[in-house]
Amino acid sequence: MALAGANLAEIEAACERMSVGVGQQREEAEQYLMGIRNSPEALAIGKAIIETSNVDSACFQAACMLKEAILRDWSKLTHAHRQELKGQLLQYVIQRNATMKPFVRSQILQLVAIIVKRGWFEEPPELFVEFTNYVQALAQEEATRAVAMFMVLALLEEFSSNSRSIVGLSWEFHHKSQQRFHQEGHLKLFFSLLLSLLSASIDNLRAVQADIQNVTLPGAPLAWLSPCIAAVNHMLSWDFTDAEAKGGVLGSLKSGRGDVITPGVAWRDIFMQPSTIDLIYSCFAVCRHHQMLGHALRQCLVDLAAIRGDVFPDDAARQAYFQHSLRSVLQLVGTEQHEHEFVDVSLILLRLVTNFKAGVFLRSASAPESLDRICNFTCMLMQRERSEDISTQEALDHLFEMWSSLTLALHGPKVEVTLRQSVGLYTAKLFRTFLEKCLRDAAQEVEDWTQEDDDHEDRSVLEERLTALGCIARLAAEDACELLASTIQERISALQNIIETQKPIQEAEAGLVLEQLHWLLRLAGHLLADEGEGEVPYIPQCMGSLSLQAEAEQRADPVEKLINTVVQLVQLEDVARKAGRGELLSPLVAQYSTWFFSRWAQTYLLPESSDLAPISNHLRRLYGPGPGAESVLSFVIGRALSNLQHWAHEDEVVTATALLLLSLAGRKPVARLLLPMQGWAHLS
């Protein structure tokens, strides 16, 4: 149906008002266009607008109009009519791609993808094959390659998305379409096509690397690169759930990226080729400074690190893939990096360690060099100024989780002592760097307070990070205990000297020491013990082994030394209070020393023993049944009474004290010792 000039102008004006208008003007335009979209002639009018109009908003609305009309009148259209319309729309995009607005092109190509998907189960299979062959042919020609890439991207979005852009059809239809797209090899076909295009162009990309921002703009020679990389990124985020169980068939509809990707046996010939990883890393090297392309390619690299399952024919292939991936990502660590790369590089390392066997990696010949570079990278992030930016914090979370996985793989009686010791050198360095970071952050906290920053919030390390560091540090438990004990003792000695000599002290100086002590207490608690939820936890194996070793060698027990240092710190509170040095008292220190004893007492007081968590006779004498446990319990109850007397106005201290008493009373063996104690009677 041809449109009269007046009608076209009226429709274009309504589309413009719909696009930029407000209030009643927009509502009137919307009602006018809705009338056209609901009319029996909507299909003909939409085609006519696209064929004749040069107004972007009108072409966009025409594509929306065609989408509704085609789906509404689907059964009335013949196969030939649908194919003709699909071809006309694609040719329209090809002819005007250089000047077409992205939102118009996206809407029209989505319509083409919808026509393909809607007719897939009704029309002869050769029609779809013919269409994919046509798209591949377009991709081989430089003039039409960009359109081909956008068409592939539209197909991926239509077949993989759970948005169900085809309204009125069942979930099963979308699910079967997604399955078939993968099962019949179309997903893999397009993936191979895109990789071949990137591979054939990599030398040209390197030649224009300095000008990558401009040569990939719309209308530029490499305009196809952006949609091509976006499509590769989209394919790697495909939901391959149940692919292995069903011979490579797709699972349920799902959006978002997974921690594990299982493409199945059908993809072996692609992912088992080192050239696939090399190609994506090469593309990233070229596009590294292009914000959008660099981000998409980093996402691809993250996904490649998450591949698992029977895509690997055997352990040798799995290990070869891991080693090649690790070498590739460590090349990024060794070059100049930007903040926006930290998160993805750290996530790649995390996925490689968690998705592959950590023990095999740790015993490989390349492990020492790799661990050294990862350790230096982790320390570099911790040493950044305040480490306040979100990217650094998130990257550290990934790295700490990775190191935790490595250290957990080294616990157990069958692990070689030499291997544990060699990795312990790196974890000791990490813990020392983290402790230094906590001390620096504490200094900054005090500075913020002196500036009277009303919006100041505690931006220091999260509790989860402390838990991870406690686990990591246990691999070199003696070094960590000695370091914490000496660092706390230095500050105790400084405070004792101030009290004994009656020296005045600046508020900021006192605040710094107390703020640092608060973090040292938290670190000590996470190092020595695990949180007790439900069953009473055992003394961590590394701590028990360290105490046994010290006992066997007839030397001072580092575990006891750290615990006694904390006791000495708590006792210093009473000394400062008696000396009238209120500036040396801190509710934060009181809160976390109470938290420390609550966490510690659940594990070390009347300790449980097992084959995996042996206890030295020394610790048993100190904290086991008899005078040792009674003395410790009397001390802890005394601290609780002191808190309730002197810190009653501090809600956090009172809460920590209540939790301490609750944890003690919740253990029957401890409760039996509590009942006859005078201090417990005072509490009741």
Side-chain angles (χ1 to χ4, degrees):
M1 171 182 176
L3 284 174
N7 289 340
L8 178 60
E10 187 176 352
I11 291 174
E12 289 176 339
C15 291
E16 288 291 275
R17 292 195 300 273
M18 178 74 174
S19 177
V20 299
V22 294
Q24 183 177 358
Q25 186 183 45
R26 178 182 173 85
E27 292 179 6
E28 292 175 353
E30 185 176 2
Q31 292 176 0
Y32 173 76
L33 293 174
M34 189 61 68
I36 298 177
R37 291 165 73 163
N38 292 333
S39 71
E41 297 180 336
L43 184 61
I45 294 174
K47 286 180 58 179
I49 293 173
I50 285 181
E51 291 171 355
T52 57
S53 179
N54 292 317
V55 178
D56 294 322
S57 59
C59 293
F60 176 83
Q61 292 295 332
C64 296
M65 190 183 303
L66 283 173
K67 172 185 171 182
E68 292 186 11
I70 289 171
L71 294 177
R72 183 180 63 228
D73 301 333
W74 183 264
S75 59
K76 300 177 184 179
L77 301 175
T78 64
H79 291 331
H81 194 178
R82 298 168 194 160
Q83 295 303 311
E84 178 186 3
L85 179 58
K86 182 173 63 178
Q88 289 174 345
L89 291 171
L90 195 51
Q91 283 301 316
Y92 173 80
V93 175
I94 292 173
Q95 293 168 5
R96 301 195 182 187
N97 183 57
T99 58
M100 182 177 290
K101 296 291 185 182
F103 69 92
V104 178
R105 179 185 57 232
S106 176
Q107 188 69 14
I108 293 177
L109 291 181
Q110 184 200 36
L111 175 56
V112 174
I114 287 173
I115 295 173
V116 172
K117 182 177 178 179
R118 179 63 180 85
W120 201 4
F121 290 96
E122 299 178 6
E123 298 171 348
E126 57 267 20
L127 289 180
F128 185 82
V129 174
E130 180 182 332
F131 178 74
T132 58
N133 290 339
Y134 179 59
V135 173
Q136 291 182 77
L138 293 177
Q140 301 304 325
E141 300 293 332
E142 290 187 7
T144 55
R145 186 170 296 163
V147 174
M149 296 300 98
F150 283 117
M151 187 68 251
V152 171
L153 193 55
L155 288 170
L156 292 172
E157 291 172 348
E158 189 56 44
F159 278 88
S160 67
S161 172
N162 60 1
S163 61
R164 308 180 197 177
S165 58
I166 305 178
V167 179
L169 295 177
S170 65
W171 179 90
E172 287 76 13
F173 173 84
H174 297 282
H175 181 63
K176 289 180 180 179
S177 297
Q178 188 185 35
Q179 283 187 326
R180 186 176 173 186
F181 192 79
H182 179 271
Q183 184 181 17
E184 295 185 359
H186 303 298
L187 181 68
K188 183 181 175 184
L189 175 70
F190 283 127
F191 191 77
S192 300
L193 169 67
L194 303 189
L195 289 186
S196 67
L197 292 174
L198 291 172
S199 179
S201 305
I202 191 64
D203 290 336
N204 292 335
L205 292 174
R206 291 191 180 106
V208 297
Q209 179 175 350
D211 198 32
I212 195 68
Q213 297 281 355
N214 295 322
V215 297
T216 55
L217 292 173
L222 295 176
W224 61 272
L225 187 62
S226 294
C228 178
I229 291 174
V232 171
N233 188 21
H234 203 301
M235 291 180 194
L236 288 173
S237 68
W238 193 277
D239 176 21
F240 292 98
T241 306
D242 294 333
E244 297 180 70
K246 301 180 180 180
V249 181
L250 189 65
S252 60
L253 285 171
K254 175 179 154 186
S255 61
R257 314 187 85 88
D259 293 334
V260 174
I261 298 175
T262 55
V265 177
W267 289 73
R268 277 183 184 174
D269 58 326
I270 291 180
F271 291 124
M272 291 302 96
Q273 294 293 330
S275 57
T276 300
I277 293 178
D278 293 341
L279 177 61
I280 303 301
Y281 272 96
S282 296
C283 289
F284 175 68
V286 172
C287 303
R288 192 170 190 171
H289 301 295
H290 189 294
Q291 183 176 2
M292 183 183 69
L293 296 183
H295 175 72
L297 287 164
R298 289 196 306 274
Q299 285 292 310
C300 293
L301 297 176
V302 169
D303 288 330
L304 288 173
I307 291 177
R308 289 182 63 179
D310 64 1
V311 67
F312 301 107
D314 50 40
D315 288 340
R318 185 178 293 105
Q319 183 65 10
Y321 185 91
F322 169 80
Q323 291 291 350
H324 189 68
S325 299
L326 183 62
R327 285 194 300 270
S328 300
V329 71
L330 287 179
Q331 290 178 359
L332 299 182
V333 172
T335 59
E336 182 180 353
Q337 286 182 272
H338 298 278
E339 291 181 1
H340 54 264
E341 297 179 9
F342 292 157
V343 174
D344 293 321
V345 170
S346 302
L347 186 53
I348 292 171
L349 292 169
L350 170 62
R351 287 192 169 182
L352 285 175
V353 168
T354 55
N355 286 333
F356 298 86
K357 294 181 179 179
V360 177
F361 160 55
L362 292 172
R363 291 174 176 85
S364 66
S366 61
E369 180 183 358
S370 299
L371 288 172
D372 185 62
R373 298 180 70 174
I374 298 172
C375 180
N376 290 335
F377 177 51
T378 309
C379 291
M380 181 274 292
L381 292 181
M382 286 192 281
Q383 290 165 347
R384 288 171 59 82
E385 183 68 20
R386 291 301 312 275
S387 298
E388 285 183 357
D389 57 280
I390 296 176
S391 60
T392 300
Q393 292 182 16
E394 188 175 349
L396 281 173
D397 287 336
H398 293 323
L399 289 170
F400 289 152
E401 185 178 350
M402 184 216 73
W403 282 105
S404 296
S405 298
L406 287 176
T407 54
L408 288 174
L410 291 173
H411 292 321
K414 295 183 180 181
V415 178
E416 306 93 312
V417 174
T418 54
L419 178 60
R420 188 183 293 116
Q421 290 174 342
S422 63
V423 180
L425 295 175
Y426 303 109
T427 60
K429 180 179 179 180
L430 289 173
F431 186 72
R432 180 176 293 275
T433 304
F434 185 80
L435 187 147
E436 293 170 353
K437 167 184 159 45
C438 287
L439 299 182
R440 289 196 312 272
D441 286 352
Q444 188 62 50
E445 296 287 346
V446 174
E447 181 179 334
D448 289 343
W449 294 334
T450 58
Q451 292 172 354
E452 298 182 357
D453 182 4
D454 293 335
D455 297 326
H456 170 74
E457 295 180 358
D458 183 5
R459 297 184 294 271
S460 299
V461 185
L462 300 175
E463 190 73 13
E464 292 82 0
R465 194 170 295 172
L466 289 167
T467 301
L469 261 295
C471 175
I472 293 168
R474 288 175 190 169
L475 202 60
E478 183 165 4
D479 288 344
C481 287
E482 294 287 355
L483 176 62
L484 273 174
S486 62
T487 308
I488 295 173
Q489 187 62 56
E490 287 174 3
R491 282 144 186 82
I492 291 175
S493 299
L495 293 176
Q496 285 176 331
N497 182 60
I498 291 171
I499 295 172
E500 292 171 359
T501 60
Q502 299 183 353
K503 289 181 180 179
I505 184 173
Q506 296 288 334
E507 181 180 356
E509 185 180 354
L512 171 59
V513 175
L514 295 171
E515 177 68 15
Q516 290 178 338
L517 284 170
H518 134 255
W519 281 113
L520 292 170
L521 282 168
R522 297 182 73 173
L523 281 171
H526 284 283
L527 172 66
L528 287 173
D530 295 314
E531 184 177 7
E533 292 185 358
E535 296 182 0
V536 177
Y538 291 107
I539 293 176
Q541 181 185 357
C542 291
M543 294 297 143
S545 299
L546 176 59
S547 182
L548 282 169
Q549 181 183 354
E551 184 177 66
E553 297 174 359
Q554 296 182 339
R555 59 184 177 86
D557 188 339
V559 177
E560 180 194 3
K561 180 179 179 181
L562 178 56
I563 296 169
N564 288 343
T565 304
V566 176
V567 171
Q568 187 180 355
L569 170 62
V570 172
Q571 291 173 333
L572 187 63
E573 178 183 318
D574 296 335
V575 177
R577 185 174 286 112
K578 290 178 181 178
R581 302 302 297 267
E583 73 275 17
L584 302 182
L585 301 176
S586 165
L588 204 57
V589 172
Q591 175 189 345
Y592 280 99
S593 61
T594 305
W595 166 86
F596 172 89
F597 284 113
S598 177
R599 188 182 183 97
W600 172 86
Q602 292 180 65
T603 306
Y604 288 80
L605 185 58
L606 299 178
E608 299 284 342
S609 180
S610 74
D611 294 337
L612 295 178
I615 301 173
S616 67
N617 292 326
H618 182 65
L619 289 183
R620 196 180 298 278
R621 285 193 300 270
L622 287 173
Y623 313 124
E630 294 173 3
S631 175
V632 169
L633 199 53
S634 176
F635 170 79
V636 172
I637 295 301
R639 296 320 307 169
L641 286 168
S642 177
N643 286 346
L644 296 176
Q645 178 182 354
H646 298 291
W647 297 107
H649 57 289
E650 295 288 345
D651 292 341
E652 290 80 4
V653 179
V654 173
T655 299
T657 304
L659 292 174
L660 167 63
L661 297 173
L662 183 62
S663 67
L664 294 175
R667 293 182 58 193
K668 290 183 179 180
V670 177
R672 284 194 289 268
L673 295 179
L674 283 173
L675 289 176
M677 285 189 173
Q678 186 176 3
W680 185 258
H682 288 168
L683 285 170
S684 60

